Amino acid sequence: MAVTLTQQAANHISRYLTKRGKGIGLRLGVRTTGCSGMAYKLEYVDEADTADQMFESFGVKVFIDPKSLSYLDGTELDYAREGLNEGFKFRNPNEKATCGCGESFTV
């Protein structure tokens, strides 16, 4: 099982943690919501939870809670700018479908 970051995502997270002045990485998880059933959730981590699984890409730590790990296995997190929009992009091989607005997915 693995979750990875692209170089662009790792750079963005590192810059944000530096600007923030604290933090040890990013927590990635899923929550039940939306028209397709699940949505990604992201938060910066100041202290690791002992139950979290930790992965590291380009020197940045990513923490995943045990319940989310099976939905996120194999996911690559990217950070992209497209025109005026910028944000994280999830490449999750477990996704079977996404909703029309792109806010939720199903596995």
Side-chain angles (χ1 to χ4, degrees):
M1 292 186 152
V3 173
T4 58
L5 302 173
T6 64
Q7 181 72 60
Q8 293 83 359
N11 290 346
H12 178 77
I13 294 164
S14 291
R15 280 192 305 269
Y16 188 83
L17 288 171
T18 300
K19 182 192 284 188
R20 194 172 170 250
K22 63 180 179 176
I24 60 171
L26 183 77
R27 179 170 287 114
L28 174 59
V30 296
R31 59 186 166 91
T32 304
T33 189
C35 42
S36 289
M38 304 188 101
Y40 296 106
K41 62 180 182 177
L42 295 168
E43 62 186 16
Y44 290 94
V45 177
D46 294 328
E47 188 175 308
D49 185 315
T50 57
D52 285 343
Q53 178 77 36
M54 195 269 297
F55 301 95
E56 190 167 341
S57 292
F58 302 101
V60 175
K61 294 177 182 172
V62 179
F63 299 89
I64 314 275
D65 67 88
K67 291 180 182 177
S68 297
L69 189 56
S70 62
Y71 300 109
L72 298 171
D73 183 31
T75 297
E76 179 183 63
L77 183 59
D78 191 13
Y79 190 84
R81 288 191 172 121
E82 297 171 356
L84 297 175
N85 298 318
E86 63 181 284
F88 288 106
K89 303 287 183 188
F90 300 89
R91 295 188 189 112
N92 185 345
N94 303 304
E95 281 185 10
K96 301 295 182 221
T98 58
C99 70
C101 65
E103 293 296 319
S104 63
F105 68 97
T106 187
V107 291

